[in-house]
Amino acid sequence: MKKPVWHCSVRTAPGDRLLSDEEWAVVARRVVAATGIAEEGDPDGCRWVAVRHAEDHIHIAATIVRGDLRKADIEFDFRRAQAECRRIEREWGLRELNPGDGTAAKEPTNREKHKAQRLGEANTSRQQLRDAVRQALAGARDEAEFFARLETTGVLVNRKVGPSGDTLGYSVAVVGEHDQTGEPVWFGGYKLAPDLTLPKIRRRLAHGTGQLETARPAPEDSGARTPTGRRSPAAAARLRAADTALEAIDLLDGEPEAVAGVVEATGEVLDALAATALPAQKAELLAAARAYERASRSHVRAANADSRSLRAVAREVLSGGYTTNRGPDATAAAGALAALILLVIAAGRWHAKQGHLQQADAAHAAADSLRAAYRLAARQPLGALREHGQQLPAAVRERQEQAVRRAVPGEGGRRMLAEPEFDALAAALVEAEAAGHDPDTLLERARSWRELDTAGSVTAVLTWRVRHLAKLPHPAAGKPHRSTSAVTPPTPAAPAAPSRQRR
């Protein structure tokens, strides 16, 4: 018997009341009974001890050999312990955690965490390798490209090859990290995440990514171009990501298997954006990708035929490389993030309807990180729009204020006019009017496109929606308005996608 001692820690959630010693004793007895360690009334149950290690948690240690010298039946012990803890939470009025479903990635061990701290690393080796594998998989056309990318990320790759020459599996290791024998510390795909085994990767790659060359090109009047007409590959990729993400939202009303494929592929787009993010946004995008990684998996088998456009976008984002934080690049990045916030929130709602509570929470956490990244990306283009709005003549500004009052009557309209973001909305409406759009019609379309109840700033959200619907160019900082009635639109550029969530 390799492991004769069983160990489990039980902790209350932050904010829960402190349990007494007597209550912790009840918790310990219920947990060991539920797991088969020592069922109530069984004189031959395993011997165990519980230690209150701090005010909010206990440690339980037990032998797994019963008094009758048989091994205790502790199969699925942690699943049974979790179920009992959920019952205790409900009965005692404690914070109820979502039940696990067996699809979570394996957590780093305490040894891995301590080693990372000792080496001054922010992440454990397991997390670093998980990120590397996911970013290599994002938008890969086939298995050969996946392994070629992985080998260029700076990690060691070990392929298990059968007698026929076929690859049977793989493992990865951090360069320079060795075990006690001097061998690299290898992690197989399953040790990283359930969907990173080679068979699961092959299933995802089976439908390919589609052909970007034959995909619908970004319209000439909506590309994020500079005043000289140039568009960077990175900006073009993010424009396509925004359009594709908005289209993918409608696919979430389909069959569960098709929806699961779209939800899974959304994670690849987030991985690609995290891999090519600027330093200022990288931490938030990486946090979003890591959080969403939990939401990308469920027990619904993914059908990947409808996910090819998202996988193609992930590939294009990686090929386009890094953006700048100025001009059309910043606008395109903000637009892509705004659209992805919508898609991730919609994926979370789908999970909630399916009863996938862990995945729904993960999607909400990913959306929070995306909002933080969006605020960083949108700072420059929104600042330019506010500057333009502040330069509007009084008569022009009054006309846009009246349009907002008609579109959002009452207190809602008054709040919008009082927000600092109204300057940006007014500038967007003036540009749209100069391009031939009716502000009243445009505002009504922007309001009814998707809900606004969860938006932190309705005015900021409507600004991006107006620009998207009117296909307006990116805002150029410092450009003055030249007319008292309208502005002459510069060379059209790609829209920034709207969002219904807080910015």
Side-chain angles (χ1 to χ4, degrees), residues 25-39:
V26 172
V27 170
R29 282 193 289 269
R30 290 181 62 168
V31 168
V32 296
T35 55
I37 294 293
E39 297 181 10

Side-chain angles (χ1 to χ4, degrees), residues 33-59:
T35 55
I37 294 293
E39 297 181 10
E40 187 174 357
D42 182 1
D44 291 322
C46 300
R47 298 295 179 258
W48 60 273
V49 62
V51 179
R52 187 169 185 177
H53 197 252
E55 288 187 332
D56 64 344
H57 72 276
I58 61 172
H59 289 266

Side-chain angles (χ1 to χ4, degrees), residues 446-469:
R447 281 190 63 217
S448 60
W449 191 358
R450 297 194 183 277
E451 60 90 14
L452 289 163
D453 294 339
T454 53
S457 170
V458 173
T459 312
V461 173
L462 289 179
T463 299
W464 289 112
R465 291 188 184 183
V466 164
R467 298 192 68 81
H468 181 89
L469 292 169

Side-chain angles (χ1 to χ4, degrees), residues 1 6 31-39 42 44-46 63-78 80-81:
M1 186 180 298
W6 181 89
V31 168
V32 296
T35 55
I37 294 293
E39 297 181 10
D42 182 1
D44 291 322
C46 300
T63 65
I64 59 173
V65 178
R66 293 167 42 83
D68 55 13
L69 301 184
R70 292 186 293 116
K71 181 182 177 181
D73 179 12
I74 57 172
E75 189 174 10
F76 304 118
D77 53 344
F78 281 100
R80 289 149 65 181

Side-chain angles (χ1 to χ4, degrees), residues 71 106 191 234 309:
K71 181 182 177 181
K106 291 185 178 296
K191 288 185 177 181
S309 58

Side-chain angles (χ1 to χ4, degrees), residues 78-429:
F78 281 100
R79 187 178 302 175
R80 289 149 65 181
Q82 286 181 347
E84 186 63 26
C85 288
R86 301 298 84 79
R87 284 189 284 270
I88 293 172
E89 289 162 358
R90 287 193 296 272
E91 294 171 11
W92 294 9
L94 304 174
R95 175 185 168 190
E96 292 187 46
L97 300 184
N98 294 323
D101 62 359
T103 62
K106 291 185 178 296
E107 290 292 328
T109 65
N110 286 334
R111 179 178 296 180
E112 292 171 23
K113 294 176 182 177
H114 293 156
K115 186 172 184 178
Q117 292 174 355
R118 188 173 68 251
L119 297 176
E121 296 286 349
N123 301 297
T124 64
S125 298
R126 191 189 299 264
Q127 183 63 66
Q128 295 176 45
L129 295 169
R130 186 183 294 143
D131 292 340
V133 173
R134 289 203 174 281
Q135 291 173 9
L137 180 59
R141 288 192 190 278
D142 50 37
E143 186 177 326
E145 183 176 38
F146 162 67
F147 279 116
R149 284 181 177 181
L150 192 55
E151 289 167 352
T152 63
T153 60
V155 304
L156 299 176
V157 181
N158 178 39
R159 290 199 237 183
K160 182 180 179 182
V161 180
S164 64
D166 294 333
T167 301
L168 304 179
Y170 77 99
S171 55
V172 288
V174 174
V175 175
E177 185 167 300
H178 303 91
D179 59 18
Q180 295 177 344
T181 65
E183 292 295 317
V185 181
W186 296 104
F187 289 82
Y190 185 74
K191 288 185 177 181
L192 300 178
D195 58 340
L196 294 184
T197 62
L198 190 56
K200 295 286 182 66
I201 288 174
R202 283 172 172 162
R203 177 191 57 76
R204 191 185 301 197
L205 295 174
H207 291 280
T209 61
Q211 297 294 323
L212 288 175
E213 295 78 12
T214 60
R216 188 189 76 254
E220 287 304 309
D221 62 347
S222 66
R225 297 179 184 274
T226 64
T228 58
R230 293 174 301 201
R231 179 199 297 153
S232 73
R238 281 154 178 78
L239 292 172
R240 198 186 302 277
D243 289 340
T244 305
L246 292 173
E247 292 170 358
I249 295 174
D250 295 330
L251 298 177
L252 299 182
D253 294 326
E255 294 297 319
E257 293 78 7
V259 174
V262 172
V263 170
E264 181 182 73
T266 300
E268 295 193 32
V269 179
L270 296 180
D271 289 325
L273 287 172
T276 56
L278 290 172
Q281 301 169 24
K282 193 174 187 66
E284 298 296 348
L285 285 173
L286 193 56
R290 288 174 176 175
Y292 189 83
E293 180 262 344
R294 181 70 176 87
S296 67
R297 290 187 305 274
S298 70
H299 286 299
V300 179
R301 184 178 178 86
N304 297 94
D306 289 338
S307 66
R308 290 190 299 171
S309 58
L310 282 168
R311 298 200 69 245
V313 160
R315 179 183 181 83
E316 188 176 7
V317 168
L318 284 173
S319 300
Y322 295 88
T323 62
T324 67
N325 59 359
R326 297 183 298 275
D329 279 10
T331 303
L337 292 174
L340 282 164
I341 291 171
L342 287 175
L343 179 55
V344 167
I345 290 171
R349 289 177 175 171
W350 177 79
H351 276 307
K353 289 179 181 177
Q354 300 294 316
H356 306 158
L357 302 183
Q358 295 278 3
Q359 289 85 344
D361 279 354
H364 294 154
D368 286 341
S369 293
L370 284 175
R371 290 189 193 100
Y374 165 84
R375 287 190 288 269
L376 292 171
R379 184 178 299 163
Q380 187 274 337
L382 272 180
L385 280 172
R386 282 196 293 267
E387 182 183 348
H388 292 176
Q390 291 164 1
Q391 297 174 9
L392 290 173
V396 177
R397 187 180 179 89
E398 175 62 25
R399 189 166 68 248
Q400 307 314 323
E401 290 178 357
Q402 292 299 328
V404 169
R405 291 190 180 97
R406 288 190 295 269
V408 188
E411 182 61 28
R414 286 191 288 273
R415 283 198 302 267
M416 287 180 59
L417 294 176
E419 288 184 357
E421 290 83 359
F422 175 72
D423 293 329
L425 178 59
L429 289 171

